[in-house]
Amino acid sequence: SKQWEVYPNPSGSVISVSGFDTMDTVHLFDATGKEIRLDALKKTWDISGYAPGVYVFRIISGNKVYQKKIVIQ
C-alpha cells in the first residue's frame, strides 16, 4: 500500500500532503458531505477559512482513491 501523509493533523491554518508525484483531484468533504475542491497542482492548501470539524481528505491519483480523516481547528 502507498505511504502518504497529510499534515499537520489537526491544523488550523494550512495542510500539506506528501507521498504523491502527481494527483488528479484533491477534495475535502465536511461532516454533511459538502465537497470542497482543492487545487491538485499544489501540495499545500490554506484551510484557515473552513469551519472547525472533522473532514475527509481525498486524493485521486492514477485511478486510485486515497483518503484520510483530518481535523480542522
Side-chain angles (χ1 to χ4, degrees):
S1 66
K2 184 171 185 63
Q3 296 296 307
W4 68 283
E5 296 296 327
V6 54
Y7 61 92
N9 186 13
S11 177
S13 55
V14 298
I15 53 170
S16 298
V17 68
S18 64
F20 289 91
D21 293 326
T22 61
M23 299 174 291
D24 299 319
T25 64
V26 182
H27 291 91
L28 280 175
F29 295 89
D30 70 12
T32 70
K34 180 182 165 207
E35 179 181 318
I36 303 161
R37 187 164 191 152
L38 303 177
D39 185 346
L41 297 177
K42 295 183 178 178
K43 299 281 176 80
T44 299
W45 302 272
D46 178 358
I47 49 93
S48 61
Y50 302 140
V54 178
Y55 291 73
V56 173
F57 180 83
R58 181 182 295 166
I59 293 169
I60 298 176
S61 178
N63 294 324
K64 292 195 170 129
V65 178
Y66 305 90
Q67 60 183 37
K68 293 183 190 277
K69 283 190 175 174
I70 66 164
V71 175
I72 295 179
Q73 294 177 319

